Amino acid sequence: MNDQPVLHVKGRVLVGPNEIHDELWVIDGRITYDRPARARDTRTVEGWTLPGLVDAHCHVGLGPHGPVPEDTAEKQALTDRDAGTLLIRDAGSPSDTRWVDDREDLPKIIRAGRHIARTRRYIRGYAHEIEPEDLVAYVAQEARRGDGWVKLVGDWIDRDLGDLAPSWPRDAVEAGIAQAHRLGARVTAHCFSEDSLQDLVEAGIDCIEHATGLTEDLIPLFVEHGVAIVPTLVNIATFPNLADGGESKFPRWSAHMRRLHERRYDTVRSAYDAGIPVFVGTDAGGTLPHGLVAAEVEELVTAGLPAVEALAATTWSARAWLGRPGLEEGAAADLVVYESDPRADVRVLAAPRRVVLNGRVVG
């Protein structure tokens, strides 16, 4: 045992939705359920304990106009940490955030490399903007740069059409996704509209971000292929303002965005009811602030997910999906302690009592 104090976490430890322990200990930054024989220094934390929360769609190092300085990225990561988010799937960033891996006080990041978009079909400064014939090469590049994920921009506004439209022809996404899979990476895609989804799912995509275009006729296809969704409802809440801003120039697009927004809760509930895996993501970075994970869980409950399932989407299920441990024997002690049972009221997530990262109390 080293000089790091033993941490004693007691109360109700939610190892799983129905697996509850009365206490755990943290020794040398790792979880154990075996009481230590002796400890020179012990600190006790008490309450309702969850695994560190997961934000499965977040952008550390990204600002409204593209990459941000390291000190700004640090503030983003700290804001997420203090909200209880200790594991981030960074769904596309032009910044190199590998330095975060050397900081034990910052959340762990699973990177998807940089967004890959069609030329002039995404937010300027965010993505590699390429043509279909280059997709396989860029997918390979970002698969090697990332941590097992690649992020495509599946659709965006087509200025000639005046509405959302798919970014890639079917053969290009088939080849790109196959290349990612050969390199051991999963693929996700930004998708607002209906028209991009069938080709992406049938091409083997692993996840769809936002998924506002998911319709009843497409749901069985998602179920058949085991495709997950990350709805980012706190981001979808911005659609009416976006629509207002584009009304004069792109009225067809504006009307479409409003329809997608109006049915957002029905879309998510229908997906959940059908058995499509749903995970929490905030789309923080860019124009949205960080630290919104509790608000997104509450939005999933508003959409109709049971509270325990909404919690699972940012804890037990999300960690399993991303291949990272929770409150397991020997795992890194990344956990959040609350005043009361979050299964009874998910709003408690907005006020962590204590945040423990790598075995140290950081908040």
Side-chain angles (χ1 to χ4, degrees):
M1 191 177 298
N2 66 16
D3 291 334
Q4 184 175 339
V6 169
L7 184 65
H8 183 199
V9 180
K10 57 186 293 188
R12 308 299 280 165
V13 179
L14 298 170
V15 179
N18 300 305
E19 182 184 351
I20 304 174
H21 291 214
D22 293 328
E23 56 191 349
L24 63 77
W25 287 264
V26 178
I27 301 175
D28 296 342
R30 298 281 168 177
I31 291 169
T32 181
Y33 291 94
D34 296 325
R35 180 187 295 272
R38 62 184 182 275
R40 187 179 61 79
D41 188 13
T42 300
R43 177 177 181 179
T44 299
V45 173
E46 189 168 359
W48 292 80
T49 300
L50 286 172
L53 306 186
V54 176
D55 188 339
H57 186 131
C58 188
H59 304 281
V60 174
L62 181 66
H65 306 294
V68 297
E70 190 171 301
D71 62 338
T72 302
E74 179 187 39
K75 290 175 184 176
Q76 293 173 339
L78 287 170
T79 299
D80 287 320
R81 184 202 72 182
D82 292 346
T85 297
L86 304 185
L87 179 61
I88 290 169
R89 185 184 61 150
D90 195 323
S93 176
S95 295
D96 181 358
T97 59
R98 290 289 173 189
W99 57 270
V100 173
D101 297 347
D102 297 325
R103 292 274 300 270
E104 292 213 341
D105 61 329
L106 296 180
K108 296 174 173 69
I109 299 180
I110 298 170
R111 298 167 185 82
R114 189 173 186 175
H115 306 74
I116 304 173
R118 191 77 177 266
T119 307
R120 292 178 52 82
R121 293 283 303 280
Y122 198 48
I123 303 167
R124 185 177 299 175
Y126 279 30
H128 296 297
E129 297 189 20
I130 63 168
E131 288 304 293
E133 59 268 23
D134 297 319
L135 184 59
V136 170
Y138 274 84
V139 164
Q141 172 184 297
E142 297 310 300
R144 294 185 178 104
R145 290 180 57 196
D147 300 312
W149 284 90
V150 172
K151 170 72 174 295
L152 305 180
V153 177
D155 60 37
W156 197 249
I157 188 168
D158 182 319
R159 291 168 176 79
D160 294 331
L161 184 64
D163 199 0
L164 298 168
S167 299
W168 312 101
R170 172 68 173 262
D171 60 344
V173 293
E174 286 179 343
I177 292 169
Q179 175 73 315
H181 289 169
R182 279 192 293 270
L183 295 172
R186 289 186 277 182
V187 183
T188 193
H190 159 107
C191 292
F192 284 161
S193 74
E194 302 85 349
D195 295 342
S196 59
L197 295 177
Q198 183 168 344
D199 280 353
L200 288 166
V201 172
E202 291 181 344
I205 198 104
D206 300 283
C207 181
I208 294 292
E209 311 299 312
H210 317 301
T212 43
L214 184 59
T215 54
E216 292 292 339
D217 61 312
L218 289 169
I219 284 175
L221 188 66
F222 273 64
V223 174
E224 176 188 352
H225 289 263
V227 179
I229 66 170
V230 181
T232 67
L233 288 167
V234 291
N235 176 32
I236 306 312
T238 68
F239 278 18
N241 285 339
L242 294 175
D244 290 346
E247 180 77 50
S248 60
K249 192 171 183 180
F250 301 113
R252 182 177 171 186
W253 172 83
S254 295
H256 194 177
M257 295 290 278
R258 291 191 183 97
R259 291 194 303 272
L260 295 172
H261 175 263
E262 288 166 2
R263 70 173 197 246
R264 67 198 186 283
Y265 292 143
D266 290 338
T267 299
V268 173
R269 179 53 193 254
S270 294
Y272 168 77
D273 286 345
I276 293 172
V278 178
F279 297 107
V280 164
T282 66
D283 207 1
T287 58
L288 277 183
H290 287 253
L292 297 177
V293 67
E296 181 65 16
V297 173
E298 190 173 348
E299 277 285 272
L300 290 181
V301 173
T302 300
L305 270 67
V308 170
E309 295 301 324
L311 279 178
T314 192
T315 55
W316 316 292
S317 298
R319 284 180 167 271
W321 179 57
L322 293 173
R324 297 299 175 92
L327 301 177
E328 298 153 19
E329 180 75 28
D334 296 344
L335 55 92
V336 192
V337 182
Y338 300 95
E339 295 280 350
S340 57
D341 188 353
R343 298 171 304 172
D345 185 350
V346 299
R347 289 176 295 182
V348 74
L349 297 183
R353 174 187 277 184
R354 289 288 182 267
V355 177
V356 178
L357 179 59
N358 293 309
R360 298 180 184 275
V361 178
V362 293

